[in-house]
Amino acid sequence: MAKTPTVIVAGAGVVGLATAALLATGRCADRLRVVVLDARPVPRWRGDQMDPRVYALSRASQQLLGEIGVWERVAQSRAAPYARMRVWEGADAYAPSALDFDSADIGEPNLGHIVEDALLRTVLADALGAAQEAQLVVGAQIESIEVQAEEAVVALKEGGTMRATALLAADGTDSTVRRLLALPVAGHRYEQTAVVTHVQSSKSHDGTAWQRFLPGGPLALLPLSDGSSSIVWSLPTLEAERLLAASDAEFLAELAAATAGVIGELTACSKRVGFPLQALHALRYTAPRVALLGDAAHTVHPLAGQGMNLGLLDAASVAAVIEDAVLAGEDVGDLKVLRRYERERKGDNLAMLAAFDGLNRLFRLPEWASPLRGLGLRAVEAAHPVKRLLMQKALGLDAGRRHRVRWSRAELQA
Ligand SMILES: Cc1cc2nc3c(=O)[nH]c(=O)nc-3n(C[C@H](O)[C@H](O)[C@H](O)COP(=O)(O)OP(=O)(O)OC[C@H]3O[C@@H](n4cnc5c(N)ncnc54)[C@H](O)[C@@H]3O)c2cc1C
């Protein structure tokens, strides 16, 4: 009997866990062994505290989590739907040039949900734990990789080796797998740092995601289910460092001015955390027996809240490619198989990276460019088909369909 192929996923972030869970619960669950390795333990969501790290998940990401069977638990635990998004620059959030997206305009109940990182990782790790042929190994740092004719041999710093028919690297923007295999990347640092915190406010966020383009970088206010808002404020790094070190009162005063009062007075904030920002794109996503996905393959500016959504589309694509290969009796680690995933995803990821990079640059241009920006926003607001297209992109529905996000098992069987 042929040996059961082993897929090792490096990284138990959301992208790695979702990829592993798709494979371990999908069409070929009984024909694959799936092992996830992470250097650190997976955080457990307890519910008594809001995780500072949250994601604006698109509808396509939600569908994908539904396919794995974990969305219901996410929604019941804590997920904040948002039905509107308002994007503006300048002092007035309601100026005619502001962009207003409303899910009702495209007949959808919402534009997406805000969900905590720890909650996503908890439900995905549990789904993996319940699967027959899956294993999550934490405290396992990859030290070296030797690619042989039929396997990749992964040596761990803690001792021991593991053999993979295919090694999927979802080990984040500083990917060890990418470095060990010397896979080249292009990119640049933004010299910006995102300051992330949650704030309480006197006015309701009204289920709206707010985004203001400021000269130093974009400021996002994401609505949370307990009425507070998650702040992602991208700033020149020196300014971010100053605000990270400031007292709560000083920070809230500066933030209040930046929010232009859209959620009223800011009354309290949680611990502030800084994320240095960069753009990065792997020139190749694949090598024999290896594929990069999520932030290991592409790291985008958080201004549109799409990094995780793109990573989850990678997960859907690579899982579908591997399952098709298993069903066709192919070697799942063969470069020609893994290249199918690269061909499906690279163009879209690169286009999104370039779009977010361009937007960040446009809005950081000096004052003279302001009319240009206002003109751009007004043009989008007035052109309904363009606006509709942007909304479809943000929802991830077009890419979801193309990249075989499996909408439901029933649909799959039909
Ligand atoms: C401020 C900010 C806000 C954001 N907001 C949004 C948003 O609203 N919506 C959205 O879609 N995206 C958002 N993003 C982007 C999103 O955070 C990333 O795209 C996403 O976390 C990438 O997930 P990942 O699983 O690929 O990598 P990671 O989350 O970085 O996970 C990588 C995992 O690999 C492990 N690892 C690393 N090295 C090794 C090793 N050598 N051996 C074993 N394990 C290893 C790590 O411990 C980690 O668990 C935001 C990003 C930032 C910075």
XYZ file of all heavy atoms in Angstrom, residues 9-18 36-43 52-58 61 82 113-115 117 121 137 139-143 156 158 169-177 179-180 193-196 220 222 230-234 273-278 293-312 314, ligand 1:
693
model
N 2.840 21.762 8.436
C 2.577 23.197 8.351
C 3.461 23.872 9.397
O 3.355 23.560 10.592
C 1.087 23.516 8.613
C 0.844 25.013 8.521
C 0.190 22.764 7.640
N 4.333 24.770 8.978
C 5.169 25.515 9.922
C 4.410 26.771 10.314
O 4.083 27.593 9.455
C 6.501 25.879 9.279
N 4.097 26.928 11.602
C 3.394 28.134 12.063
C 1.953 27.845 12.436
O 1.167 27.410 11.585
N 1.621 28.068 13.704
C 0.243 27.891 14.172
C -0.419 29.239 14.399
O -1.134 29.449 15.368
C 0.221 27.046 15.437
N -0.143 30.190 13.484
C -0.948 31.410 13.423
C -2.277 31.016 12.781
O -2.511 29.838 12.471
N -3.142 31.996 12.551
C -4.467 31.674 12.002
C -4.341 31.006 10.630
O -5.049 30.035 10.328
C -5.337 32.954 11.916
C -6.669 32.649 11.265
C -5.547 33.543 13.306
N -3.423 31.486 9.795
C -3.307 30.937 8.435
C -2.834 29.479 8.480
O -3.414 28.606 7.817
C -2.367 31.807 7.569
C -2.128 31.163 6.205
C -2.953 33.210 7.394
N -1.809 29.210 9.283
C -1.300 27.841 9.377
C -2.354 26.895 9.941
O -2.585 25.803 9.415
N -3.019 27.316 11.027
C -4.034 26.454 11.643
C -5.210 26.224 10.695
O -5.747 25.117 10.612
C -4.529 27.081 12.955
C -3.547 27.025 14.128
C -4.064 27.854 15.300
C -3.319 25.577 14.588
N -5.605 27.269 9.962
C -6.739 27.117 9.035
C -6.371 26.156 7.903
O -7.182 25.308 7.509
C -7.151 28.477 8.473
N 1.197 20.320 12.550
C 1.485 21.758 12.642
C 2.566 21.960 13.694
O 2.460 21.421 14.806
C 0.224 22.570 13.048
C 0.534 24.057 13.047
C -0.930 22.275 12.116
N 3.585 22.728 13.352
C 4.675 23.020 14.293
C 4.668 24.504 14.631
O 4.514 25.337 13.740
C 6.035 22.722 13.637
C 6.293 21.318 13.094
C 7.659 21.276 12.417
C 6.225 20.296 14.228
N 4.822 24.835 15.882
C 5.003 26.244 16.234
C 6.019 26.352 17.365
O 6.075 25.501 18.261
C 3.698 26.926 16.649
C 3.775 28.444 16.459
O 4.636 29.085 17.118
O 3.019 28.997 15.649
N 6.796 27.424 17.308
C 7.794 27.653 18.344
C 7.124 27.975 19.680
O 7.639 27.642 20.742
C 8.711 28.798 17.919
N 5.947 28.626 19.578
C 5.301 29.101 20.813
C 3.945 28.420 21.029
O 3.322 27.967 20.055
C 5.104 30.613 20.739
C 6.425 31.355 20.919
C 6.251 32.831 20.763
N 5.839 33.165 19.412
C 5.668 34.389 18.967
N 5.841 35.394 19.766
N 5.321 34.619 17.730
N 3.454 28.404 22.294
C 2.126 27.817 22.511
C 1.043 28.638 21.818
O 1.204 29.846 21.609
C 1.943 27.882 24.031
C 3.175 28.457 24.606
C 4.076 28.913 23.517
N -0.052 27.985 21.474
C -1.189 28.693 20.875
C -1.985 29.326 22.011
O -2.369 28.625 22.962
C -2.072 27.700 20.076
C -3.331 28.379 19.555
C -1.270 27.109 18.923
N -2.246 30.656 21.960
C -2.988 31.271 23.072
C -4.403 30.714 23.172
O -5.023 30.416 22.155
C -3.013 32.767 22.689
C -2.739 32.815 21.227
C -1.947 31.595 20.881
N -5.939 42.173 22.359
C -5.619 43.418 21.636
C -5.508 43.204 20.125
O -5.715 44.127 19.349
C -4.258 43.841 22.214
C -3.771 42.696 23.027
C -4.923 41.792 23.321
N -5.219 41.972 19.701
C -5.052 41.717 18.267
C -6.383 41.233 17.681
O -6.844 40.138 17.997
C -3.974 40.649 18.096
C -3.279 40.749 16.787
C -2.021 39.947 16.769
N -1.656 39.731 15.385
C -0.640 39.021 14.976
N 0.130 38.434 15.837
N -0.388 38.890 13.697
N -6.998 42.068 16.867
C -8.260 41.666 16.219
C -8.116 41.824 14.710
O -7.266 42.580 14.242
C -9.473 42.516 16.710
C -9.702 42.360 18.198
C -9.318 43.987 16.332
N -8.960 41.120 13.961
C -8.939 41.220 12.495
C -10.323 41.574 11.992
O -11.315 41.061 12.511
C -8.547 39.871 11.869
C -7.261 39.317 12.405
C -7.257 38.161 13.177
C -6.050 39.954 12.157
C -6.077 37.654 13.686
C -4.870 39.452 12.670
C -4.882 38.306 13.430
O -3.724 37.807 13.938
N -10.363 42.409 10.952
C -11.611 42.631 10.226
C -11.687 41.514 9.192
O -10.967 41.536 8.196
C -11.581 43.998 9.555
N -12.503 40.513 9.470
C -12.581 39.357 8.569
C -13.642 39.577 7.499
O -14.763 39.990 7.810
C -12.932 38.089 9.350
C -11.855 37.495 10.255
C -12.300 36.126 10.756
C -10.514 37.369 9.544
N -13.289 39.270 6.266
C -14.230 39.437 5.153
C -15.261 38.308 5.154
O -15.110 37.316 5.877
C -13.459 39.405 3.832
O -12.947 38.101 3.622
N -13.638 35.030 4.274
C -12.958 34.375 5.400
C -13.970 33.682 6.301
O -13.736 32.576 6.797
C -12.163 35.400 6.206
O -11.125 35.934 5.425
N -19.922 44.345 11.238
C -19.999 45.772 10.898
C -20.660 45.905 9.542
O -20.364 45.160 8.616
C -18.639 46.473 10.981
C -17.599 45.993 10.006
C -17.312 46.723 8.848
C -16.892 44.824 10.233
C -16.368 46.295 7.948
C -15.942 44.384 9.329
C -15.687 45.111 8.196
O -14.748 44.668 7.299
N -16.819 40.867 9.916
C -16.853 40.809 11.385
C -15.472 41.139 11.940
O -14.462 40.782 11.338
C -17.205 39.399 11.861
C -18.631 39.029 11.631
N -19.113 38.632 10.407
C -19.690 38.993 12.499
C -20.410 38.364 10.521
N -20.781 38.581 11.774
N -15.461 41.726 13.119
C -14.198 41.926 13.831
C -14.063 40.764 14.822
O -14.956 40.544 15.655
C -14.187 43.277 14.608
C -14.673 44.442 13.724
C -12.794 43.557 15.176
C -13.847 44.748 12.518
N -12.956 40.045 14.717
C -12.771 38.831 15.535
C -11.374 38.840 16.149
O -10.407 39.267 15.521
C -12.967 37.560 14.670
C -12.887 36.311 15.536
C -14.293 37.583 13.936
N -7.796 37.423 17.582
C -6.804 36.427 17.168
C -6.879 35.177 18.047
O -6.923 34.046 17.555
C -5.402 37.049 17.255
C -4.296 36.085 16.873
O -4.104 35.848 15.667
O -3.636 35.539 17.782
N -7.641 31.281 16.878
C -6.635 30.221 17.037
C -7.147 29.117 17.954
O -6.852 27.942 17.761
C -5.320 30.814 17.521
C -4.682 31.638 16.379
C -3.552 32.485 16.857
N -2.327 31.746 16.985
C -1.185 32.272 17.447
N -1.134 33.542 17.819
N -0.106 31.548 17.529
N 2.111 20.458 17.328
C 3.291 20.338 18.203
C 3.793 21.743 18.491
O 4.227 22.456 17.574
C 4.408 19.514 17.507
C 5.582 19.286 18.463
C 3.879 18.189 16.991
N 6.318 24.489 20.849
C 7.673 24.444 21.413
C 8.610 23.767 20.421
O 9.585 23.127 20.808
N 8.295 23.888 19.136
C 9.083 23.214 18.089
C 9.591 24.265 17.098
O 8.818 24.783 16.298
C 8.214 22.193 17.367
N 10.884 24.581 17.222
C 11.468 25.587 16.302
C 12.231 24.879 15.195
O 13.093 24.048 15.472
C 12.472 26.428 17.059
C 11.846 27.584 17.809
C 12.941 28.453 18.384
O 13.616 29.161 17.659
N 13.126 28.371 19.677
N 11.947 25.282 13.974
C 12.639 24.652 12.848
C 14.058 25.209 12.756
O 14.248 26.429 12.733
C 11.864 24.899 11.540
C 10.499 24.214 11.645
C 12.646 24.415 10.332
C 9.614 24.391 10.441
N 15.039 24.299 12.745
C 16.432 24.751 12.710
C 17.061 24.570 11.334
O 17.861 25.387 10.888
C 17.239 23.989 13.757
C 18.590 24.622 14.017
C 19.263 23.976 15.203
O 19.381 22.745 15.224
O 19.661 24.708 16.108
N 14.538 19.962 14.200
C 14.067 20.914 15.214
C 15.177 21.278 16.178
O 16.033 20.448 16.512
C 12.891 20.303 15.991
C 11.685 19.871 15.154
C 10.612 19.253 16.042
C 11.111 21.059 14.389
N 14.930 21.740 19.224
C 14.757 20.990 20.470
C 15.243 19.549 20.315
O 15.227 18.774 21.263
C 13.267 20.985 20.867
C 12.686 22.351 21.187
C 12.486 23.252 19.967
O 12.426 22.734 18.834
O 12.427 24.471 20.158
N 4.819 26.639 4.625
C 5.363 27.620 5.571
C 4.380 28.752 5.789
O 4.171 29.585 4.904
C 6.691 28.156 5.048
N 3.751 28.758 6.975
C 2.867 29.869 7.368
C 3.467 30.459 8.644
O 2.763 30.696 9.623
C 1.458 29.349 7.607
N 4.794 30.667 8.608
C 5.484 31.081 9.833
C 5.766 32.583 9.872
O 6.740 33.033 10.463
C 6.754 30.247 10.073
C 7.682 30.180 8.865
O 7.267 30.620 7.781
O 8.809 29.686 8.996
N 4.866 33.345 9.241
C 4.865 34.796 9.432
C 5.873 35.566 8.590
O 6.642 34.995 7.820
N 5.853 36.873 8.788
C 6.622 37.769 7.909
C 8.138 37.513 7.979
O 8.840 37.716 6.998
C 6.243 39.236 8.225
O 6.774 40.066 7.223
C 6.726 39.700 9.580
N 8.642 37.055 9.140
C 10.079 36.746 9.252
C 10.325 35.256 9.053
O 11.205 34.677 9.704
C 10.603 37.186 10.632
C 10.464 38.678 10.840
O 10.697 39.425 9.869
O 10.104 39.107 11.954
N 9.578 34.643 8.188
C 9.585 33.186 7.970
C 10.974 32.536 8.023
O 11.864 32.858 7.237
C 8.950 32.906 6.601
O 9.162 31.571 6.221
N 11.116 31.597 8.952
C 12.363 30.840 9.070
C 12.526 29.915 7.861
O 13.630 29.752 7.335
C 12.335 29.980 10.356
O 12.137 30.852 11.455
C 13.613 29.206 10.553
N 11.438 29.306 7.433
C 11.507 28.381 6.286
C 12.014 29.132 5.053
O 12.907 28.670 4.340
C 10.117 27.746 6.020
C 10.133 26.929 4.738
C 9.680 26.898 7.208
N 13.812 31.808 4.942
C 15.229 32.167 5.111
C 16.125 30.944 4.926
O 17.120 30.996 4.207
C 15.426 32.763 6.519
C 16.874 33.104 6.858
C 16.997 33.802 8.201
N 16.365 33.127 9.306
C 16.868 32.061 9.932
N 18.026 31.544 9.559
N 16.223 31.503 10.941
N 15.741 29.812 5.535
C 16.593 28.612 5.443
C 16.727 28.139 3.998
O 17.766 27.609 3.608
C 16.017 27.490 6.312
C 16.145 27.685 7.831
C 15.370 26.600 8.572
C 17.610 27.691 8.265
N 4.947 52.714 12.271
C 4.586 51.684 13.249
C 3.105 51.843 13.540
O 2.613 52.969 13.677
C 5.427 51.858 14.542
O 6.796 51.589 14.204
C 4.995 50.916 15.655
N 2.389 50.710 13.618
C 0.962 50.782 13.958
C 0.820 50.691 15.475
O 1.330 49.754 16.089
C 0.209 49.647 13.287
N 0.147 51.681 16.045
C -0.159 51.643 17.480
C -1.550 51.022 17.618
O -2.513 51.500 17.021
C -0.141 53.068 18.093
C -0.555 53.036 19.562
C 1.238 53.699 17.921
N -1.623 49.931 18.381
C -2.874 49.180 18.490
C -3.346 49.191 19.939
O -2.570 48.935 20.860
C -2.642 47.724 18.001
C -3.876 46.872 18.236
C -2.265 47.711 16.522
N -7.492 53.655 11.868
C -8.723 52.861 11.746
C -9.357 52.676 13.109
O -8.665 52.469 14.105
C -8.404 51.500 11.146
N -12.226 50.235 14.654
C -13.048 49.066 14.324
C -14.014 48.783 15.470
O -13.599 48.749 16.644
C -12.161 47.839 14.083
C -11.049 48.015 13.042
C -10.161 46.781 12.990
C -11.658 48.277 11.664
N -11.568 49.096 18.448
C -10.159 48.743 18.295
C -9.500 49.815 17.425
O -10.031 50.194 16.385
C -10.043 47.380 17.608
O -8.724 47.176 17.187
N -8.359 50.290 17.892
C -7.644 51.354 17.174
C -6.417 50.759 16.491
O -5.642 50.040 17.119
C -7.162 52.438 18.178
C -8.344 53.040 18.944
C -6.312 53.506 17.492
C -9.322 53.821 18.112
N -6.241 51.050 15.210
C -4.990 50.721 14.503
C -4.526 52.039 13.885
O -5.098 52.502 12.901
C -5.192 49.653 13.406
C -3.863 49.325 12.728
C -5.803 48.387 13.989
N -3.519 52.641 14.504
C -3.092 53.984 14.099
C -1.664 53.886 13.573
O -0.725 53.653 14.346
C -3.169 54.925 15.306
C -3.004 56.377 14.987
C -2.826 56.945 13.760
C -3.004 57.457 15.934
N -2.720 58.302 13.873
C -2.831 58.648 15.194
C -3.136 57.514 17.322
C -2.770 59.891 15.805
C -3.085 58.765 17.923
C -2.915 59.940 17.175
N -1.524 54.005 12.246
C -0.195 53.930 11.625
C 0.432 55.319 11.634
O -0.179 56.287 11.156
C -0.304 53.432 10.183
O -0.967 52.200 10.154
N 0.126 48.515 22.017
C 1.150 47.641 21.444
C 1.546 48.224 20.083
O 0.693 48.750 19.356
C 0.592 46.202 21.219
C 1.715 45.232 20.882
C -0.181 45.708 22.431
N 2.852 48.156 19.760
C 3.324 48.697 18.472
C 3.701 47.586 17.500
O 4.284 46.580 17.887
N 3.322 47.736 16.222
C 3.702 46.785 15.170
C 4.446 47.549 14.075
O 3.825 48.337 13.347
C 2.455 46.134 14.530
C 1.690 45.219 15.441
C 0.687 45.708 16.269
C 1.968 43.865 15.475
C -0.029 44.866 17.110
C 1.256 43.003 16.308
C 0.261 43.511 17.128
N 5.783 47.347 13.936
C 6.506 47.995 12.833
C 5.947 47.482 11.497
O 5.660 46.285 11.370
C 7.959 47.537 13.023
C 8.013 46.884 14.367
C 6.634 46.460 14.730
N 5.787 48.377 10.522
C 5.110 47.985 9.277
C 6.084 47.836 8.115
O 7.017 48.619 7.964
C 4.034 49.017 8.927
C 2.966 49.221 10.009
C 1.955 50.261 9.554
C 2.270 47.904 10.351
N 5.825 46.857 7.288
C 6.632 46.669 6.082
C 5.778 46.059 4.976
O 4.733 45.473 5.238
C 7.828 45.764 6.366
C 7.455 44.359 6.776
C 8.669 43.438 6.877
O 9.686 43.661 6.247
N 8.545 42.396 7.667
N 2.933 30.632 2.483
C 1.602 31.230 2.460
C 1.431 32.232 3.598
O 2.253 32.281 4.509
C 0.491 30.166 2.469
C 0.507 29.028 3.456
C -0.918 28.604 3.771
C 1.221 27.833 2.820
N 0.355 33.013 3.499
C 0.109 34.043 4.505
C 1.227 35.073 4.496
O 1.849 35.342 3.460
N 1.512 35.632 5.676
C 2.516 36.695 5.755
C 3.913 36.221 5.360
O 4.775 37.041 5.032
C 2.551 37.285 7.173
C 1.556 38.425 7.347
O 0.567 38.465 6.583
O 1.756 39.285 8.232
N 4.177 34.931 5.383
C 5.481 34.427 4.929
C 5.664 34.687 3.433
O 6.782 34.877 2.953
C 5.588 32.930 5.214
N 4.551 34.735 2.693
C 4.619 34.970 1.239
C 4.411 36.442 0.895
O 4.974 36.950 -0.075
C 3.571 34.122 0.517
N 3.559 37.127 1.682
C 3.224 38.522 1.356
C 2.785 39.241 2.624
O 1.923 38.750 3.345
C 2.086 38.572 0.319
C 0.969 37.629 0.654
N 0.016 37.915 1.590
C 0.694 36.371 0.224
C -0.800 36.890 1.709
N -0.417 35.930 0.893
N 3.389 40.367 2.885
C 2.986 41.163 4.059
C 2.538 42.517 3.533
O 3.290 43.191 2.822
C 4.175 41.325 5.030
O 4.644 40.010 5.374
C 3.760 42.052 6.298
N 1.292 42.894 3.850
C 0.736 44.137 3.289
C 0.515 45.161 4.396
O 0.437 44.816 5.573
C -0.599 43.873 2.532
C -0.393 42.876 1.409
C -1.696 43.378 3.481
N 0.377 46.426 3.992
C 0.062 47.499 4.951
C -1.318 47.214 5.556
O -2.238 46.832 4.822
C 0.069 48.845 4.217
C 0.166 50.006 5.163
N -0.885 50.378 5.973
C 1.180 50.850 5.445
C -0.514 51.419 6.704
N 0.736 51.719 6.412
N -1.483 47.420 6.883
C -2.790 47.081 7.472
C -3.901 48.077 7.145
O -5.006 47.932 7.648
C -2.499 47.062 8.976
C -1.333 47.947 9.174
C -0.515 47.860 7.911
N -3.646 49.071 6.277
C -4.637 50.140 6.095
C -5.982 49.630 5.601
O -7.013 50.224 5.891
C -4.105 51.259 5.189
C -3.832 51.010 3.705
C -5.077 51.166 2.881
C -2.774 51.972 3.232
N -6.007 48.529 4.856
C -7.305 48.034 4.389
C -7.740 46.793 5.163
O -8.767 46.191 4.838
C -7.242 47.728 2.906
N -6.969 46.402 6.186
C -7.337 45.233 6.997
C -7.512 43.985 6.156
O -8.514 43.276 6.285
N -6.566 43.704 5.271
C -6.756 42.569 4.361
C -5.707 41.467 4.486
O -5.841 40.426 3.844
C -6.787 43.065 2.905
C -8.040 43.835 2.541
C -9.300 42.990 2.638
O -9.274 41.794 2.425
N -10.408 43.612 3.010
N -4.644 41.679 5.281
C -3.555 40.697 5.333
C -4.034 39.302 5.693
O -3.697 38.314 5.035
N -4.825 39.206 6.750
C -5.325 37.896 7.175
C -6.280 37.315 6.136
O -6.255 36.110 5.848
C -6.044 38.046 8.521
C -6.657 36.773 9.032
S -5.407 35.506 9.236
C -4.585 36.112 10.694
N -7.110 38.185 5.558
C -8.064 37.694 4.557
C -7.335 37.099 3.353
O -7.726 36.057 2.822
C -8.991 38.829 4.116
C -9.900 39.266 5.253
O -10.509 38.433 5.909
N -9.962 40.565 5.518
N -6.247 37.745 2.931
C -5.463 37.200 1.813
C -4.839 35.863 2.214
O -4.817 34.910 1.430
C -4.354 38.181 1.393
C -4.823 39.528 0.838
C -3.623 40.422 0.539
C -5.652 39.342 -0.427
N -4.327 35.799 3.455
C -3.707 34.560 3.938
C -4.718 33.412 3.976
O -4.385 32.270 3.652
N -5.955 33.709 4.343
C -6.967 32.650 4.392
C -7.350 32.187 2.987
O -7.676 31.014 2.776
C -8.188 33.115 5.192
C -7.930 33.204 6.705
C -9.113 33.827 7.436
C -7.618 31.829 7.307
N -5.148 32.071 0.592
C -4.019 31.166 0.302
C -4.313 29.779 0.870
O -4.083 28.759 0.212
C -2.718 31.645 0.970
C -2.169 32.936 0.405
O -2.685 33.413 -0.615
O -1.199 33.462 1.005
C -1.595 46.344 13.239
C -2.099 45.304 12.309
C -3.464 45.181 12.085
C -3.973 44.218 11.205
N -5.310 44.132 10.981
C -5.785 43.232 10.095
C -7.190 43.115 9.820
O -8.027 43.849 10.368
N -7.620 42.198 8.911
C -6.733 41.388 8.257
O -7.160 40.589 7.406
N -5.392 41.459 8.510
C -4.911 42.344 9.399
N -3.559 42.413 9.653
C -2.664 41.468 9.002
C -2.569 40.149 9.798
O -2.204 40.406 11.139
C -1.549 39.204 9.168
O -1.706 39.168 7.777
C -1.759 37.797 9.736
O -1.593 37.790 11.147
C -0.789 36.795 9.122
O -1.048 35.522 9.674
P -0.022 34.345 9.532
O -0.694 33.166 10.180
O 0.430 34.255 8.125
O 1.262 34.791 10.370
P 1.431 35.054 11.940
O 0.167 35.512 12.559
O 2.626 35.945 12.061
O 1.774 33.620 12.543
C 3.014 32.987 12.312
C 3.196 31.841 13.317
O 4.422 31.177 13.012
C 5.136 30.913 14.205
N 6.560 30.816 13.889
C 7.389 31.820 13.517
N 8.643 31.330 13.309
C 8.593 29.985 13.555
C 9.572 28.923 13.516
N 10.853 29.146 13.208
N 9.174 27.655 13.805
C 7.878 27.398 14.144
N 6.928 28.393 14.221
C 7.278 29.651 13.911
C 4.786 32.078 15.132
O 4.959 31.732 16.497
C 3.315 32.320 14.769
O 2.461 31.551 15.586
C -3.051 43.367 10.528
C -1.688 43.479 10.764
C -1.202 44.445 11.641
C 0.283 44.567 11.865
